[in-house]
Amino acid sequence: MFVQADEFTRHNHELSFIGQESKDFTYRLCRMNLFIHGLDGKIELGNSYFNDLLSNVKADYLLANPPFNDGSKGENGWGAERVPPKDPRLQLGERRVTLSPRNANTMWILHFLYHLKSTGTAGFVMATGELSNGETARREVRQTLVDADFVDCIVQLSGQLFANTQIPCALWFLSKNRGGTGGFRRRKGEILFLDGRKLGLLIPGSRKQKELAPEEVERMAAVYRTFRRTGIPEAVPGFCRVATVEEVRTHGYSLTPGRYVGSPESDEDEEPFEEKMPRLVAELERQFAEGRELEAAIRGNVSEWHKTGEIEV
């Protein structure tokens, strides 16, 4: 993502890359990748949960693909009890939230939000279950994010987009710049929902992995740009819609886009009923006749087998 961000800005040398990695191999791979592409990066080796080595860093933009549902399959969880009670990342406005001992998703969300500047925006990948999970601690974090007006946009995608897992995912965009500064419009009390579950096709030659076409990515990005810069984009049933925070509250703080974008409008059937019905009846009668012929053939074969012990295929 660092390299792609540099390419996106056409190597203008105006970006600074900062991050932390817990696995030594990945840490070394990242540093090597930056070096090969001529990029400078401050990359620290350490566990972000318990030892935030970049606690003083506040970013304009934050991109991340954290491990999904960390701790949910182990007997001892992910180590929530090791996070200090006074950790500043757990403070959202006047509310201090608790952490789920069985799932680290909300810890990642809080970590990303904490490291934003007062005008910053975070975009990260998250398991779709976090959009509506009813566990008390996880719902509390989601509710606090909505009430504090940090949730800017939620994009739900299909499964099979990753090489190592087929589970579906969602993109979360949290922003501290929803008041209308820095060239962006005021978006307080509004959340953009995008349902991209029907987007993406299997990669040629693969039966397991999908990819989004450039035009599909641009379609979603264009709606988000309009939302941030121009005004409320036109609602497209089954694809996108802007909902109010109050509406999200009435849905129990669920952030699943399907609740808000509705169902796609079906193509209008232009065939007149008086022509369509006879055609369907005729097709049904033909299928019934084929079924009777098949049944007769099977019964004949079974009868022949009873007589001779042989069956004609």
Side-chain angles (χ1 to χ4, degrees):
M1 285 189 287
F2 287 160
V3 173
Q4 288 180 340
D6 179 63
E7 292 177 352
F8 181 77
T9 57
R10 301 180 181 181
H11 315 290
N12 61 15
H13 303 291
E14 294 183 359
L15 298 180
S16 297
F17 301 104
I18 303 169
Q20 182 171 334
E21 171 57 45
S22 64
K23 295 180 175 59
D24 182 73
F25 175 78
T26 310
Y27 165 76
R28 295 175 183 275
L29 191 64
C30 177
R31 290 174 58 112
M32 181 182 69
N33 207 8
L34 291 176
F35 175 77
I36 290 174
H37 288 85
L39 303 179
D40 293 325
K42 178 179 174 60
I43 312 299
E44 301 287 355
L45 179 63
N47 191 306
S48 299
Y49 295 151
F50 323 118
N51 185 21
D52 187 5
L53 298 173
L54 304 171
S55 59
N56 295 324
V57 172
K58 300 292 184 179
D60 295 294
Y61 298 98
L62 190 150
L63 301 174
N65 178 15
F68 294 171
N69 305 322
D70 192 15
S72 61
K73 296 182 180 180
E75 295 181 359
N76 302 316
W78 60 275
E81 71 284 353
R82 295 174 56 188
V83 179
K86 295 185 178 180
D87 191 309
R89 294 174 292 181
L90 307 186
Q91 189 73 37
L92 289 179
E94 298 181 355
R95 180 181 296 185
R96 191 162 192 80
V97 298
T98 56
L99 295 170
S100 167
R102 301 293 304 172
N103 195 302
N105 287 348
T106 50
M107 182 64 208
W108 283 117
I109 294 173
L110 296 171
H111 178 73
F112 301 149
L113 184 66
Y114 172 79
H115 281 286
L116 289 182
K117 288 182 178 179
S118 59
T119 57
T121 298
F124 51 89
V125 187
M126 187 57 62
T128 55
E130 213 55 47
L131 297 173
S132 59
N133 187 278
E135 182 186 349
T136 301
R138 293 160 73 182
R139 185 183 185 279
E140 178 190 0
V141 171
R142 194 169 64 245
Q143 176 179 341
T144 305
L145 291 171
V146 172
D147 287 340
D149 214 22
F150 289 127
V151 183
D152 206 36
C153 175
I154 298 291
V155 182
Q156 189 168 359
L157 298 174
S158 72
Q160 300 178 275
L161 290 174
F162 294 94
N164 58 344
T165 179
Q166 294 191 21
I167 66 172
C169 66
L171 305 180
W172 290 54
F173 294 91
L174 304 182
S175 180
K176 292 183 177 180
N177 181 17
R178 286 171 47 85
T181 59
F184 299 105
R185 75 177 188 89
R186 179 180 174 85
R187 308 180 303 285
K188 283 187 173 295
E190 302 170 356
I191 301 175
L192 173 63
F193 289 97
L194 284 160
D195 190 340
R197 288 176 295 173
K198 294 185 178 181
L199 302 181
L201 295 173
L202 287 174
I203 295 175
S206 173
R207 297 181 179 180
K208 296 183 178 180
Q209 190 174 357
K210 292 182 179 179
E211 64 180 352
L212 295 170
E215 56 270 22
E216 292 176 324
V217 175
E218 175 56 28
R219 183 187 179 193
M220 292 185 285
V223 174
Y224 189 34
R225 283 197 299 268
T226 298
F227 175 69
R228 282 167 61 88
R229 300 175 183 176
T230 308
I232 295 178
E234 180 180 356
V236 179
F239 178 63
C240 70
R241 179 172 169 266
V242 174
T244 65
V245 167
E246 186 56 41
E247 185 178 354
V248 173
R249 292 191 183 106
T250 65
H251 286 286
Y253 291 93
S254 170
L255 295 178
T256 305
R259 284 183 175 268
Y260 306 99
V261 303
S263 301
E265 295 179 347
S266 58
D267 294 334
E268 185 178 351
D269 190 350
E270 297 180 353
E271 185 177 7
F273 177 81
E274 58 270 21
E275 297 178 10
K276 182 176 182 180
M277 191 61 184
R279 178 179 60 77
L280 293 177
V281 171
E283 177 67 12
L284 187 61
E285 290 292 344
R286 185 185 64 78
Q287 292 176 354
F288 281 161
E290 290 179 354
R292 287 191 293 269
E293 293 176 1
L294 181 60
E295 180 183 1
I298 293 174
R299 288 185 180 277
N301 282 337
V302 172
S303 177
E304 183 66 19
W305 177 79
H306 278 297
K307 294 177 180 179
T308 65
E310 298 179 353
I311 189 168
E312 180 182 350
V313 179

